[in-house]
Amino acid sequence: MNGRTVRDLRRANRTAVLQRLYFDGPLSRFELGPATGLSSGSVSNVVADLVADGLLEEAGSVESDGGRPRTLLRVAPGSGHMIGVDVGETRVRVELFDLTLTELARTERPLTQQSYDVEVVVGHIRDGLAEVLADTGTDPKTLLGVGIGVPGIVAHTPESGAVVHGQTIGWDAVPLEALLRTGSALPGDVRYFIDNGAKTLGQAEMWFGGGRGARSAVVVLFGSGVGACLVTPEVEHGRAVEWGHLTVRVGGRRCRCGALGCLEAYAGAESLLERWREAGGRPAEEVDEESALTAMLAAAWPPEGEEADPVALAVLDETAEYLGAGLSDLINLFQPERILVGGWAGLQLGERFLPAVRRHATEYALRYPAGKVTVDLGRLGPDAVTVGAAILPLADFFARGGRRPEPAPGGPAPAWRTALEDRAPH
């Protein structure tokens, strides 16, 4: 025996039906059988259960061969909600989605350049959560959870929940989940899913973007710095890897993490712009990184008939080589089918930048794995991190067969609350 209980089997069957309808619906009960591998009796029981829970609804009908029309089913969009949060380099973005990931509301709060004051970021997230719920009149009790993409490594402790170690932004073991729950207007049983922003970007691209259908992929987040998410059959839901802090030059430039020679010291937007200035480039003063990068690209790739800035071109060429060399390490180590480049800076650099990156990646990588990988831009645009963050609670909801976690009224105070009370001044 494999140790599975009847309850486990029911949950797995609900998950199979929900996911198939989510990605390929609307479908009839007849189509769900071969699509899920379940018997017609199991499909009928599961569908009846999900309809009773309000998770499925009818979506018209189709003609059948000689019989009555078959009713189509789909996931009911209003049966649950998720919030996705992107703690980015220039702003905190908060979006509310229905169960089918249709955006219902969004808000953005700017961050002062290079400033990640913990209380400011926590305040922006709290205010953003309240705003998107109020704007739509959404009952917080319908939330499946709040997903948050952050820079850095995320660990989980019994005392504080999700704790962020963001060395490049000055966050040293920040108990982000505990801080968000303190003073939050959300019900105490709403779950927070906090992970690295590269992981949430990868989650979005694998579900709905350029990674869909691939067994193995690396999704690169190219923003102010760089990071990556690895997805393989062994790491099905992806794992963030601190690729930006791979050493590419011994004794090289100092990275914002404090080490010397990191890839991020050469390939992130922050370092790219810094090297342009050092080489004599002149971005406009007092502008944010996105505007400065736009100005650099306009200088390097001007309209037809105008002369390109050779300094900007040289720095972009050097950046393409460093990025390609960094990708070659991912190719050699993990042999992915696809590499997708996303993030605001990666999308700004775009298709014009990518051929040089591909060429260098191929030159530095071993021939066999390099010949089997494709390198392309991500397909989901600048909102991909937020969408991926919202997918985190959705994936958990599916894994539990579409059932919400059972609240524990009258139980002991959560560990994050007692931990904060212990640290509070008396």
Side-chain angles (χ1 to χ4, degrees):
M1 295 182 64
N2 59 12
R4 297 183 76 191
T5 65
V6 172
R7 185 174 181 177
D8 292 334
L9 184 60
R10 286 176 178 163
R11 181 172 60 245
N13 290 349
R14 283 170 61 101
T15 295
V17 170
L18 271 175
Q19 289 186 326
R20 185 57 63 187
L21 285 171
Y22 194 85
F23 289 109
D24 300 322
L27 297 170
S28 67
R29 290 171 176 80
F30 179 79
E31 292 170 310
L32 278 169
T36 61
L38 300 177
S39 68
S40 59
S42 293
V43 167
S44 294
N45 290 336
V46 171
V47 166
D49 200 19
L50 293 171
V51 169
D53 287 348
L55 294 176
L56 300 184
E57 63 184 18
E58 293 185 0
S61 61
V62 291
E63 295 296 325
S64 63
D65 297 333
R68 292 184 301 173
R70 294 192 178 112
T71 301
L72 294 175
L73 299 163
R74 68 179 179 187
V75 173
S79 57
H81 298 88
M82 300 83 65
I83 293 179
V85 180
D86 175 12
V87 180
E89 281 122 358
T90 59
R91 64 181 65 86
V92 173
R93 178 183 289 130
V94 182
E95 295 183 52
L96 173 69
F97 301 90
D98 68 16
L99 196 64
T100 58
L101 280 172
T102 298
E103 181 190 308
L104 303 178
R106 75 159 58 196
T107 183
E108 294 185 355
R109 287 176 167 58
L111 290 173
T112 305
Q113 194 169 6
Q114 308 302 327
S115 176
Y116 285 89
D117 180 88
V118 172
E119 287 303 321
V120 170
V121 172
V122 168
H124 284 345
I125 296 173
R126 277 205 211 107
D127 293 346
L129 298 177
E131 183 176 329
V132 295
L133 291 171
D135 284 351
T136 56
T138 300
D139 185 346
K141 294 179 181 177
T142 66
L143 285 177
L144 305 182
V146 177
I148 304 174
V150 297
I153 299 169
V154 180
H156 293 82
T157 71
E159 297 80 17
S160 302
V163 176
V164 182
H165 301 268
Q167 190 166 323
T168 59
I169 61 172
W171 282 18
D172 183 14
V174 171
L176 184 59
E177 180 177 352
L179 292 171
L180 287 172
R181 288 188 179 279
T182 304
S184 172
L186 299 184
D189 59 351
V190 171
R191 301 181 69 187
Y192 288 80
F193 299 80
I194 301 173
D195 217 319
N196 181 275
K199 162 75 178 288
T200 68
L201 171 66
Q203 188 92 53
E205 288 289 350
M206 294 305 293
W207 275 42
F208 300 110
R212 191 167 182 192
R215 281 174 51 81
S216 62
V218 174
V219 183
V220 170
L221 176 58
F222 188 162
S224 182
V226 291
C229 174
L230 168 69
V231 180
T232 68
E234 296 76 27
V235 191
E236 182 182 356
H237 297 295
R239 182 181 74 234
V241 291
E242 290 293 336
W243 173 62
H245 303 288
L246 185 81
T247 301
V248 294
R249 190 166 180 175
V250 176
R253 296 175 65 88
R254 188 167 297 280
C255 177
R256 57 183 184 169
C257 76
L260 297 175
C262 294
L263 174 63
E264 190 167 292
Y266 296 91
E270 180 181 320
S271 62
L272 190 160
L273 292 167
E274 188 176 303
R275 287 185 291 114
W276 185 37
R277 292 189 188 95
E278 291 171 358
R282 292 288 180 268
E285 297 296 329
E286 303 301 326
V287 297
D288 59 51
E289 278 185 357
E290 293 185 36
S291 301
L293 183 58
T294 300
M296 182 182 184
L297 299 183
W301 303 322
E304 189 174 349
E306 295 185 20
E307 189 173 346
D309 177 355
V311 174
L313 274 175
V315 173
L316 285 171
D317 286 344
E318 184 186 47
T319 301
E321 182 166 8
Y322 275 111
L323 191 62
L327 293 182
S328 75
D329 290 321
L330 296 175
I331 292 169
N332 290 342
L333 287 169
F334 305 115
Q335 301 180 31
E337 295 174 37
R338 301 176 198 173
I339 293 177
L340 300 168
V341 180
W344 67 265
L347 296 175
Q348 268 193 266
L349 289 165
E351 291 289 353
R352 192 162 182 175
F353 183 68
L354 217 53
V357 174
R358 289 192 190 103
R359 184 177 70 253
H360 290 303
T362 301
E363 289 170 350
Y364 283 104
L366 294 170
R367 285 193 302 273
Y368 179 73
K372 297 175 73 67
V373 68
T374 60
V375 181
D376 293 297
L377 290 179
R379 296 181 186 172
L380 297 182
D383 288 347
V385 172
T386 321
V387 172
I391 288 174
L392 297 178
L394 180 61
D396 176 76
F397 183 66
F398 282 162
R400 287 183 283 102
R403 297 195 187 280
R404 301 171 190 270
E406 292 293 329
W416 58 263
R417 180 180 298 163
T418 56
L420 277 189
E421 289 171 351
D422 290 343
R423 286 197 290 268
H426 296 285

